[in-house]
Amino acid sequence: MESWGILQRNSPLFALHFKPHCPRDICIRYFTCRVAAAAPRRPNTYTTRSPPALFLTKSARLGSTLVARQSAKGSAKDPTTMTTTVELATVPTADTPGTCIYVHHEKRSYVFGHVAEGTQRAFSCRKLHLGGTEHLFLSGAVGWSQMGGLIGYLLSIGGAFDAAKEFRATENSKRAEKGQKLLRQLRNEGVTVHGADNLCHILAAARPVIFRQPVSVRAMEQREDPRGEDPTLTAPDWEDESIRVWKIPVRRARSNSPTKRRRSNSSTSNGSSSGMYKPASEPSDPSVAGLIMEKIMFTGSHDKIILVPKSIDELKPEDDAIVIDGNSMRRYDGPFGADALQSFGSAAKAWVFPDANAVPSKGDMDGINAISHGALPRTSYSETSMSYIMKCHDRRGKFNAQAAKELGVKPQSFKLLTAGETVTTDGGTVVTPDMVLGERQPGKGIAVADIGSRDFLDAFFERPEWTNPEIMSDVTSMYWIVGDGLASDPKIQQYIKAHPDIKHVLCSSSTCPNMVSNASSAEMLAKLRRIDPERFPFVSFDNTVDYQTPDNVPSIELGRAGHKVQIMPRLFYKDDAIAPFPDLHAAFNSVDEETLALAQKAKAKATDPAFLARIERQEADIPNRDTEIIPLGTGSSVPNKHRNVSGTLIRVPGIGNYLLDCGEGTLGQIKRLFGAEETAYILRDLRCIVVSHLHADHHMGMATTIKAWYEQALADKSDALIAISCIGRYRTVLQEISQVEDIGFHRLRFPSCSDSRADRDRDTTTAEQLAALGAQDSFGLRGIKRVPVAHCWRSYATELELVSGLRVAWSGDCRPSSKFAQACRGAHLLVHECTFGDDMQDHAKYKMHSTMGEALGVAREMQARRTLLTHFSQRYSKADALQPSEDSGTPDEDKEESVLLAHDLMRVKLGDFQKAACYIPAIAQVVAKTSDA
């Protein structure tokens, strides 16, 4: 393998995954670009990576980061030496569809660009500390495709802060016992999200899902354009003690505005009433959504929130109140007193948020429930795309202590000179700062140019900022986040050529290789493929790009994850930080001989004719044995480098595809596994998605997946529908997201939801009810059965019965349920959560999850023919501590091996469970021997 990690042309992997036209390899072009770069580079003289011995637990590292951030404010470190770095955390690939730019200053961190699905997993893989993020500047037009990973990112910040507090409390307990000084308590300074219109709306759409989070979040929508009115203005729109930011809103060309959403015939749609779905003509007032987001969802505390009910005529000007009239909500701002009732119906009700400093009152959740069920003010698609210019503050020159001493300045007066004050010595000499300070350092910065489609192109270049010499001075790099086909646009290329002193980094699907972004997961899969090639595939990737770099334009670079530059105090590029292309060939060949011997033994058993004949006899009554089960995410809570969050794909040839939950990154996992061509087939045949409950790790990939399904249907000129089995509250979430971005909501059918908000959702959906939803073959389903289970509010286990008679049961998250086992007795496939090992029984009860033994107990009571265990705690990062126990009660030669542990992206057929079980010892050994380094 070459040092850059490129697969050699004669590698057996090359033929599988490289394009036949073989454009110039990106590594060669990337290296050429960097050698010929216009900006001079200085060699690296140090590394920023900490020694391995300093890496503590994740929560410990975060705690240290928070301590450093808070103590930095009062530290006496010379500001002239503080570093500011800019790193590409993600670039467009199959599983990281957005460009995310991570700016780190010694006091805090910032994010610019997109926070698309897969972002937090990429941060984990690249060991970037998202817990230190205080400000996120979302570029582009607001939509789920741009910010689908934002909610998960914010939840992870809150979870990390909780973990850091817990670690701090434990550490202080130890210190107290030893009589040592206690560490001070951490403070949560919160996160501010900056973006275009609809930012508050799309965040508040998740209010039925998220509330009382330990991180406080504030949204700042850019609704003003001061330089659009007066181009001579040069002051930044936002700044703190570290950076300055110019916000650049670009309006979409009206003539090319997006296609209006289509609506279905109300006689066949159970999506919503036409009045609620009717689009607005302009973006809504963000005040209602902003209030909900800040005071119900991301409050910075787990404390209970009690809203105070009031009659509308009782409201006062100082009240933060939301009025619900019918089903629509609005923030109340007058009139007050007796005249207040005139513009409302008799049933209108006001809910007042308590003052931030007030003692939490006692009461029930009626107000929260009312706002959760109410409808946000209708909005329209975003017509504004945000770009940014970020620059550090200018820094004083380096202090010359020797010169100050020679002038007679006493050391205790040095700080006065560095603060810009004049000092008079004892001898009467007047010493000014310029006499002892070096040349002032101008604050260098970057530009983030987001042009998502051609209808923003002309307006982008009409903005005054790009030609303003004062604003653009000292911009060292320009990150072009552009839509398909725009990287070669003449206007963009002309601007790049006109600014050769700026490094232009192109970030689009045509300029960035679809390389493996989660190396650990892909390498593990390659090792397991060496053991069992029938069930463990190579992931799909392509380390080349189609984009042809223009000749004689050395300032262009092609975006790569890890691309890193230090912009302060001096400019230099950290080439060694660029993420290498993973060497899957080496991983495949790294399996040791002892494990290979186990694999050979397993293969001999799995191909034994007598063994295969016994399987045929035992499974003669199982329908659709060619059904393929593909775990897309087997982890819980948050994604990590080995496991994505919940999602299981069931492929039933001749009938359709079914998704059991759809966590963040589900579509990315499908694309990474199958490649573009087969992904189209997966989406084309997708018939139903089950959402078991409203915890974020089980459904944050829904909008992206549904939109991809919808776009495939449009490409096929198909009028296909898709069934979403969920509660009515989640239907509202999708409905409000669809007001911001067309995800094809009019094509969705909700078989488990009632047609009226007044009616209860259905626990049983019959064939007749499915047929009434309008799909020609009733989505391939004969019925849907839902069983309430113990986990969180309105959690359901679900059984899908297909028209062929195949029955698939999915537990969702739950404590073991005898009711579920009885209701689905005899299911052909049970997919059950297995969050904890049997040694964590108490923890499983506390978290309302199941242990492995409990999950297997449900399988036995259900008499499920085959069982797949999934949803493992991320403490079992590779499931090396989780193995099914041996059952010695049945003679080995007659025993049906019916239980498997899920691995991300494995592919197992329903009729191959017993063959796959032969490889369990070898697979367990590979997992156990794989280092976590």
Side-chain angles (χ1 to χ4, degrees):
M1 307 301 288
E2 298 176 26
S3 59
W4 284 89
I6 305 298
L7 293 177
Q8 296 176 355
R9 302 283 173 180
N10 59 357
S11 166
L13 300 184
F14 183 89
L16 291 175
H17 298 297
F18 273 72
K19 294 182 178 179
H21 56 270
C22 294
R24 285 184 293 169
D25 192 281
I26 186 171
C27 277
I28 299 172
R29 291 162 48 195
Y30 188 85
F31 183 72
T32 303
C33 286
R34 298 184 78 82
V35 170
R41 302 201 176 213
R42 302 182 183 181
N44 291 338
T45 57
Y46 66 94
T47 177
T48 58
R49 186 169 296 173
S50 302
L54 295 181
F55 281 101
L56 306 175
T57 64
K58 182 176 180 181
S59 58
R61 293 203 308 272
L62 176 67
S64 301
T65 303
L66 290 170
V67 172
R69 201 169 90 219
Q70 293 184 15
S71 62
K73 295 180 179 178
S75 67
K77 183 169 182 177
D78 186 351
T80 63
T81 64
M82 290 183 179
T83 60
T84 302
T85 58
V86 180
E87 179 174 356
L88 277 174
T90 68
V91 295
T93 68
D95 36 21
T96 57
T99 298
C100 183
I101 302 163
Y102 179 71
V103 178
H104 180 66
H105 185 78
E106 291 195 21
K107 292 188 177 183
R108 53 180 56 86
S109 300
Y110 311 84
V111 165
F112 287 81
H114 298 179
V115 186
E117 290 186 35
T119 300
Q120 61 172 323
R121 191 177 190 195
F123 269 63
S124 174
C125 292
R126 294 201 51 75
K127 295 184 171 63
L128 298 175
H129 296 289
L130 58 78
T133 309
E134 291 187 5
H135 291 270
L136 297 101
F137 296 86
L138 296 178
S139 67
V142 167
W144 196 263
S145 55
Q146 169 229 30
M147 53 175 285
L150 177 59
I151 290 177
Y153 191 100
L154 295 172
L155 293 177
S156 291
I157 291 176
F161 183 77
D162 269 356
K165 285 201 303 183
E166 184 178 345
F167 174 81
R168 180 64 58 91
T170 302
E171 185 67 20
N172 277 340
S173 296
K174 296 177 182 177
R175 288 179 173 233
E177 292 176 0
K178 298 176 182 179
Q180 297 175 340
K181 182 180 178 181
L182 301 184
L183 301 173
R184 64 178 179 177
Q185 292 299 315
L186 297 175
R187 290 188 296 109
N188 182 356
E189 298 182 0
V191 179
T192 302
V193 184
H194 308 250
D197 48 51
N198 286 328
L199 174 59
C200 291
H201 180 99
I202 205 167
L203 285 170
R207 65 194 179 284
V209 178
I210 295 163
F211 61 98
R212 294 188 327 203
Q213 290 301 311
V215 57
S216 57
V217 177
R218 181 187 177 205
M220 295 182 66
E221 291 193 4
Q222 188 70 14
R223 298 287 182 116
E224 298 178 351
D225 185 8
R227 282 178 300 281
E229 299 174 2
D230 184 356
T232 64
L233 299 176
T234 59
D237 300 294
W238 180 90
E239 63 182 320
D240 64 6
E241 60 189 61
S242 303
I243 66 171
R244 299 164 288 164
V245 177
W246 287 259
K247 300 179 178 181
I248 306 171
V250 177
R251 294 284 296 177
R252 188 191 304 271
R254 286 288 180 178
S255 59
N256 295 322
S257 59
T259 305
K260 298 297 182 183
R261 12 172 119 68
R262 307 177 186 184
R263 280 181 279 165
S264 303
N265 187 323
S266 60
S267 64
T268 60
S269 172
N270 70 337
S272 66
S273 66
S274 59
M276 280 192 61
Y277 188 68
K278 183 179 179 181
S281 58
E282 60 184 22
S284 63
D285 177 1
S287 62
V288 170
L291 195 62
I292 291 171
M293 188 193 67
E294 292 183 25
K295 300 215 170 186
I296 292 180
M297 297 171 63
F298 296 100
T299 59
S301 170
H302 292 299
D303 293 342
K304 190 175 182 179
I305 307 160
I306 302 299
L307 304 188
V308 180
K310 282 189 178 181
S311 172
I312 294 172
D313 58 352
E314 295 176 333
L315 293 175
K316 300 176 182 178
E318 62 268 21
D319 286 336
D320 271 336
I322 287 179
V323 174
I324 303 178
D325 190 7
N327 190 52
S328 58
M329 296 186 291
R330 59 173 265 196
R331 189 168 184 175
Y332 194 74
D333 54 6
F336 298 95
D339 296 335
L341 293 172
Q342 295 179 3
S343 57
F344 292 94
S346 58
K349 192 169 187 179
W351 295 95
V352 178
F353 290 87
D355 183 85
N357 299 318
V359 177
S361 57
K362 296 181 180 180
D364 52 34
M365 298 286 288
D366 287 353
I368 301 295
N369 291 333
I371 287 176
S372 180
H373 281 94
L376 292 175
R378 290 196 303 270
T379 191
S380 66
Y381 295 136
S382 295
E383 298 293 324
T384 301
S385 174
M386 294 302 301
S387 293
Y388 300 95
I389 295 171
M390 182 281 293
K391 294 198 288 187
C392 297
H393 286 287
D394 293 348
R395 299 183 184 180
R396 63 169 173 79
K398 189 173 182 61
F399 180 68
N400 189 334
Q402 183 61 36
K405 290 179 181 178
E406 292 174 357
L407 291 169
V409 179
K410 294 181 179 179
Q412 54 266 38
S413 297
F414 286 178
K415 62 182 180 182
L416 299 177
L417 289 166
T418 60
E421 298 183 27
T422 298
V423 172
T424 302
T425 68
D426 291 344
T429 303
V430 177
V431 181
T432 59
D434 61 287
M435 298 168 66
V436 292
L437 296 177
E439 184 179 355
R440 190 168 185 81
Q441 302 178 51
K444 303 181 188 68
I446 64 169
V448 180
D450 196 312
I451 310 174
S453 59
R454 292 193 181 277
D455 43 5
F456 289 112
L457 190 61
D458 291 339
F460 175 88
F461 286 108
E462 291 170 0
R463 292 294 310 187
E465 293 86 355
W466 308 124
T467 55
N468 187 302
E470 181 177 344
I471 294 176
M472 287 297 292
S473 65
D474 300 302
V475 170
T476 62
S477 299
M478 196 160 181
Y479 295 86
W480 294 87
I481 304 175
V482 295
D484 291 341
L486 288 178
S488 300
D489 186 88
K491 289 187 176 181
I492 293 177
Q493 292 297 323
Q494 182 180 357
Y495 186 90
I496 290 174
K497 291 178 181 178
H499 297 81
D501 295 333
I502 296 176
K503 185 65 60 181
H504 298 273
V505 185
L506 302 182
C507 302
S508 73
S509 57
S510 63
T511 64
C512 301
N514 183 25
M515 63 181 285
V516 172
S517 55
N518 298 312
S520 297
S521 176
E523 289 166 358
M524 174 65 75
L525 205 62
K527 293 178 184 180
L528 295 178
R529 179 174 177 80
R530 186 75 185 276
I531 300 300
D532 184 3
E534 286 191 44
R535 276 154 285 279
F536 294 96
F538 284 122
V539 295
S540 175
F541 66 93
D542 188 351
N543 289 343
T544 65
V545 296
D546 294 320
Y547 179 81
Q548 298 296 315
T549 306
D551 295 331
N552 303 317
V553 188
S555 61
I556 288 180
E557 289 193 6
L558 307 184
R560 281 277 302 279
H563 176 283
K564 190 172 185 178
V565 56
Q566 176 182 294
I567 60 174
M568 294 294 284
R570 64 184 188 277
L571 177 68
F572 69 92
Y573 295 80
K574 302 186 177 185
D575 295 337
D576 58 344
I578 294 173
F581 294 115
D583 189 345
L584 302 188
H585 192 199
F588 180 83
N589 289 323
S590 67
V591 181
D592 62 83
E593 292 299 325
E594 179 187 2
T595 307
L596 290 176
L598 285 175
Q600 283 298 114
K601 182 179 177 181
K603 183 178 180 180
K605 180 179 179 181
T607 56
D608 178 66
F611 176 71
L612 297 176
R614 177 167 63 82
I615 291 176
E616 292 296 324
R617 292 194 304 271
Q618 291 174 334
E619 300 184 355
D621 60 336
I622 298 179
N624 304 102
R625 290 179 60 219
D626 58 348
T627 293
E628 193 172 25
I629 303 99
I630 305 162
L632 300 171
T634 61
S636 66
S637 185
V638 296
N640 72 7
K641 63 181 183 179
H642 295 294
R643 297 185 180 277
N644 198 42
V645 288
S646 292
T648 305
L649 176 64
I650 311 293
R651 298 184 73 182
V652 188
I655 298 179
N657 301 331
Y658 302 84
L659 264 177
L660 308 179
D661 280 343
C662 189
E664 179 187 332
T666 292
L667 179 63
Q669 292 284 82
I670 291 173
K671 289 182 175 180
R672 179 59 70 197
L673 177 59
F674 293 106
E677 185 175 346
E678 195 170 356
T679 293
Y681 287 106
I682 297 292
L683 295 171
R684 184 177 293 123
D685 294 335
L686 190 58
R687 316 309 311 281
C688 178
I689 305 176
V690 174
V691 179
S692 62
H693 64 290
L694 295 189
H695 280 164
D697 56 317
H698 288 258
H699 61 78
M700 280 297 169
M702 284 287 288
T704 303
T705 302
I706 291 170
K707 183 179 180 182
W709 167 86
Y710 174 53
E711 290 176 342
Q712 185 62 50
L714 293 179
D716 294 338
K717 296 182 170 56
S718 165
D719 58 358
L721 305 174
I722 188 171
I724 311 295
S725 178
C726 64
I727 64 172
R729 192 82 66 92
Y730 189 70
R731 174 175 59 184
T732 302
V733 173
L734 293 175
Q735 184 182 67
E736 291 180 343
I737 290 173
S738 73
Q739 295 177 24
V740 175
E741 181 174 3
D742 189 4
I743 62 173
F745 183 82
H746 60 285
R747 297 279 193 100
L748 309 186
R749 298 296 179 264
F750 298 89
S752 302
C753 299
S754 64
D755 295 327
S756 168
R757 288 177 174 269
D759 297 333
R760 291 179 57 85
D761 293 338
R762 305 185 189 99
D763 287 349
T764 300
T765 305
T766 64
E768 292 75 15
Q769 290 168 325
L770 287 164
L773 294 176
Q776 290 183 350
D777 60 351
S778 301
F779 311 101
L781 295 172
R782 184 180 293 170
I784 301 175
K785 184 187 300 181
R786 300 195 308 168
V787 180
V789 290
H791 180 60
C792 68
W793 178 79
R794 301 205 54 193
S795 297
Y796 289 93
T798 304
E799 182 190 75
L800 300 179
E801 183 176 1
L802 277 61
V803 291
S804 63
L806 178 67
R807 295 168 58 206
V808 178
W810 163 226
S811 69
D813 286 4
C814 64
R815 291 291 298 144
S817 170
S818 181
K819 184 178 179 181
F820 172 46
Q822 294 295 327
C824 302
R825 182 178 288 274
H828 301 106
L829 172 65
L830 167 63
V831 182
H832 203 289
E833 74 117 288
C834 173
T835 308
F836 297 109
D838 292 334
D839 60 334
M840 299 196 69
Q841 178 78 38
D842 291 342
H843 202 62
K845 290 180 179 178
Y846 175 71
K847 295 286 188 179
M848 302 297 285
H849 284 294
S850 298
T851 66
M852 176 174 286
E854 290 171 334
L856 293 177
V858 172
R860 285 192 294 270
E861 185 178 0
M862 186 181 291
Q863 298 178 14
R865 299 300 301 276
R866 298 293 175 262
T867 299
L868 183 71
L869 300 181
T870 186
H871 193 271
F872 308 108
S873 167
Q874 299 293 15
R875 72 184 65 230
Y876 312 116
S877 59
K878 300 185 300 296
D880 50 328
L882 290 169
Q883 293 299 329
S885 58
E886 293 291 334
D887 181 4
S888 58
T890 306
D892 186 68
E893 60 272 13
D894 296 325
K895 182 169 62 175
E896 284 194 45
E897 296 288 353
S898 61
V899 180
L900 292 177
L901 293 184
H903 295 264
D904 275 28
L905 306 187
M906 71 182 281
R907 303 176 66 172
V908 59
K909 291 183 178 179
L910 186 60
D912 286 347
F913 264 57
Q914 298 197 66
K915 288 194 288 184
C918 298
Y919 293 90
I920 288 177
I923 289 172
Q925 189 150 308
V926 169
V927 171
K929 288 184 176 182
T930 299
S931 170
D932 242 341

